[in-house]
């Protein structure tokens, strides 16, 4: 099945990790692609000028790849500073994303006309712990797919109290379901697998993503995606994606459509075009081998500036070509409990033991340090956990505080993290991929 045929295909087909949606939808499109053996690739792209934003969507759609579109929202809108967004639009000042709550819904509909359809869904990406205005604007424009979460769009991005973010996201889920009623199937992607982008061991990333997906489902969302960001070791990352898929089957209701989305490495990116391309290709291979169905790409320009539309399209096509040449690893008949699976399940069960109200349980878990993101400075994060990259390249815990997992006891694991050590860990992936290879 070609990409063009896939775009023309009617309604959803059941695929892999989730039931298909009954009507065309973001989740249904990904399910059809997975059934056809194609990895969906997606840029993170947003421009304040509607004409430039439309060009980005058109070129994403026409890329030699199976793609979905993105409207990334500007920073003013993310933090609710709508008056500042309006002033910038009125003055013609460029923003770092599309101000969806400032542009009239009719303008956004014109932007999407002839581009958005069942064969090319578009997702709104934002980063807001107060997403109500964004949800109202995207649904008014005919969209029904977005992303975020009560933890993942709170702890890394500011000082909004976690309790407030949980309440905001509960309303957001219910509002999205209300404003995009059947036969539409609103879709929410958890950003929980990307906390701080780097140096968070995979067990916690998997657990946070799953817990947010469960939170969405409990507040009326019937189609979700669970995220995981590529980390420091391919074998450990494969364990993580497989653990996320397995735990989703164990904890999410069977009626909830779901898939796994992988992010190309979210930390410090290689500074050379060669290194950046190698890392992107590695993420595409990881997605296919581990069984993720969608990949958020990065470009060769990531280390230097905001990428152009052309650079985004090149990254989409590079990832798609790499994925097409990669075979998925065979699934074990009886999957073993990997280290990542055991840790993630321990986190999930510890949170669920705190009460039936998942939003309240998440707040309690962070207040008690049961969930504790390393190197995260948000006041509602306990800040007692620490991680390190071991000699084999795997991310492990050196300090766990009150979390229900065990610190790694290898030599050097308990040594205090110095500023130099932290910088070395943060830059480790970039340096590895920038290093000359045997053929250079």
């Amino acid at each position: 099945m070609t990409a063009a045929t896939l775009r023309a295909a009617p309604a959803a087909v059941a695929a892999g990790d989730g039931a298909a949606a009954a009507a065309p939808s973001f989740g249904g499109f990904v399910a059809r692609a997975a059934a056809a053996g194609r990895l969906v690739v997606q840029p993170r792209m947003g421009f304040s000028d509607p004409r430039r934003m439309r060009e980005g969507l058109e070129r994403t759609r026409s890329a030699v790849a199976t793609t979905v579109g993105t409207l990334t929202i500007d920073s003013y809108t993310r933090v609710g500073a709508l008056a500042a967004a309006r002033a910038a639009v009125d003055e013609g000042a460029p923003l770092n994303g599309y101000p969806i709550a400032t542009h009239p819904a009719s303008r956004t509909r014109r932007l999407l006309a002839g581009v958005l359809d069942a064969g090319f869904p578009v997702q709104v990406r934002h980063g807001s712990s107060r997403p109500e205005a964004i949800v109202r604007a995207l649904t008014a424009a005919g969209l029904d797919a977005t992303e975020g979460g009560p933890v993942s769009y709170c702890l890394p991005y500011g000082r909004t109290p976690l309790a407030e973010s949980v309440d905001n996201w509960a309303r957001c889920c219910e509002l999205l379901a209300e404003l995009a009623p059947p036969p539409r199937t609103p879709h929410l992607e958890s950003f929980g697998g990307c906390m701080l982008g780097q140096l968070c061991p995979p067990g916690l990333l998997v657990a946070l993503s799953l817990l947010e997906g469960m939170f969405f489902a409990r507040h009326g969302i019937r189609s979700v995606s669970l995220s995981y960001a590529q980390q420091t070791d391919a074998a450990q990352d494969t364990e993580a994606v497989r653990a996320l898929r397995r735990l989703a089957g164990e904890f999410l209701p069977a009626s909830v459509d779901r898939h796994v989305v992988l992010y190309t490495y979210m930390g410090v990116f290689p500074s050379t075009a060669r290194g950046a391309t190698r890392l992107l290709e590695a993420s595409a291979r990881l997605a296919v081998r581990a069984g993720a169905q969608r990949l958020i790409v990065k470009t060769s320009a990531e280390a230097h500036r905001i990428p152009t539309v052309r650079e985004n399209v090149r990254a989409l096509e590079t990832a798609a070509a790499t994925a097409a040449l990669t075979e998925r690893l065979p699934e074990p008949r009886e999957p073993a409990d990997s280290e990542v699976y055991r840790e993630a399940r321990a986190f999930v069960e510890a949170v669920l033991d705190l009460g039936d109200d998942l939003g309240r349980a998440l707040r309690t878990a962070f207040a008690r340090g049961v969930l504790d993101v390393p190197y995260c400075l948000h006041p509602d994060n306990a800040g007692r956990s620490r991680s390190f990259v071991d000699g084999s390249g795997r991310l492990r815990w050196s300090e766990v505080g009150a979390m229900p997992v065990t610190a790694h006891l290898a030599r050097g694991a308990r040594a205090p993290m110095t500023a130099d050590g932290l910088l070395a860990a943060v830059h480790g992936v970039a340096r590895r991929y920038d290093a000359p290879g045997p053929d250079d």
Side-chain angles (χ1 to χ4, degrees), residues 6 14-17 28-40 292-293 328:
L6 179 64
D17 296 318
F29 178 84
V30 175
R32 294 198 301 276
R38 291 183 175 272
L39 178 69
V40 174
Q293 292 101 330
R328 181 168 173 171

Side-chain angles (χ1 to χ4, degrees), residues 123-144:
Q123 183 190 43
V124 173
R125 306 186 66 86
H126 52 90
S128 179
S129 60
R130 300 182 176 93
E132 181 174 338
I134 295 170
V135 169
R136 290 187 181 279
L138 72 89
T139 52
L143 297 168
D144 49 33

Side-chain angles (χ1 to χ4, degrees), residues 28-403:
F29 178 84
V30 175
R32 294 198 301 276
R38 291 183 175 272
L39 178 69
V40 174
V41 290
Q42 179 178 2
R44 293 186 300 162
M45 182 188 297
F47 305 104
S48 53
D49 181 355
R51 290 171 296 182
R52 192 177 180 201
M53 188 70 252
R54 182 178 175 93
E55 178 198 359
L57 292 174
E58 288 175 337
R59 293 185 63 181
T60 297
R61 178 174 177 137
S62 63
V64 183
T66 301
T67 58
V68 291
T70 304
L71 285 178
T72 299
I73 304 310
D74 68 287
S75 296
Y76 285 138
T77 303
R78 293 175 195 177
V79 298
L82 299 184
R86 163 54 60 195
V89 169
D90 290 345
E91 295 169 5
L95 297 172
N96 65 344
Y98 184 77
I100 195 168
T102 298
H103 286 314
S106 58
R107 180 174 295 173
T108 304
R109 285 182 176 274
R110 289 195 300 273
L111 159 69
L112 297 168
V115 180
L116 169 71
D117 58 27
F120 185 71
V122 175
Q123 183 190 43
V124 173
R125 306 186 66 86
H126 52 90
S128 179
S129 60
R130 300 182 176 93
E132 181 174 338
I134 295 170
V135 169
R136 290 187 181 279
L138 72 89
T139 52
L143 297 168
D144 49 33
T146 187
E147 47 85 56
V151 176
S152 60
Y153 268 7
C154 175
L155 264 61
Y157 288 124
R159 299 180 69 84
T160 301
L162 181 59
E164 181 182 331
S165 181
V166 167
D167 289 345
N168 291 343
W169 272 93
R171 288 194 298 272
C172 162
C173 293
E174 294 160 8
L175 186 64
L176 182 61
E178 174 190 341
L179 296 179
R184 295 166 68 181
T185 307
H187 182 91
L188 262 179
E189 172 194 324
S190 165
F191 196 67
C194 308
M195 293 294 294
L196 298 183
Q198 56 195 330
L199 298 187
C200 185
L204 183 55
L205 296 177
V206 168
L208 286 170
S209 191
L210 177 63
L211 287 163
E212 288 196 333
M214 295 169 65
F215 179 91
F216 298 158
R218 293 189 184 187
H219 288 280
I221 300 299
R222 314 313 301 166
S223 179
V224 303
S225 46
L226 308 174
S227 65
Y228 178 74
Q230 178 187 23
Q231 298 294 317
T232 58
D233 178 74
Q236 188 180 38
D237 288 340
T238 299
E239 286 182 22
V241 173
R242 284 184 160 181
L244 185 52
R245 292 172 46 233
R246 180 180 170 189
L247 289 165
E250 293 170 352
F251 285 93
L252 280 174
S255 60
V256 174
D257 162 68
R258 84 292 302 261
H259 69 266
V260 171
V261 53
L262 178 73
Y263 283 65
T264 300
Y265 188 65
M266 295 281 285
V268 176
F269 221 65
S271 60
T272 65
R274 175 187 171 281
T277 300
R278 288 178 60 209
L279 184 51
L280 171 62
E281 291 170 341
S283 71
R285 287 190 292 269
L286 169 64
V288 174
R289 289 171 177 167
Q293 292 101 330
R294 179 162 55 98
L295 174 68
I296 308 294
V297 306
K298 278 193 162 187
T299 74
S300 59
E302 297 296 330
H304 309 288
R305 53 177 168 75
I306 296 174
T308 64
V309 171
R310 181 178 180 180
E311 287 164 337
N312 271 294
V313 170
R314 186 184 301 123
L316 294 169
E317 294 181 341
T318 297
T322 302
L325 296 173
T326 304
E327 292 186 4
R328 181 168 173 171
L329 296 174
E331 298 283 350
R333 290 185 179 180
E334 296 183 6
D337 293 351
S338 68
E339 178 183 65
V340 177
Y341 174 86
R342 292 193 301 270
E343 280 197 359
R345 188 178 181 99
F347 282 123
V348 172
E349 290 177 340
V351 173
L352 297 181
D353 285 345
L354 294 174
D356 294 334
D357 183 327
L358 186 51
R360 181 173 296 176
L362 284 168
R363 297 195 300 267
T364 302
F366 277 98
R368 296 182 182 178
V370 172
L371 298 177
D372 187 356
V373 179
Y375 312 111
C376 174
L377 301 180
H378 191 282
D380 287 331
N381 188 65
R384 294 193 294 271
S385 72
R386 290 291 181 269
S387 62
F388 73 106
V389 182
D390 74 9
S392 69
R394 293 173 71 96
L395 269 168
R396 296 189 184 275
W397 298 106
S398 57
E399 299 291 342
V400 298
M403 297 192 299

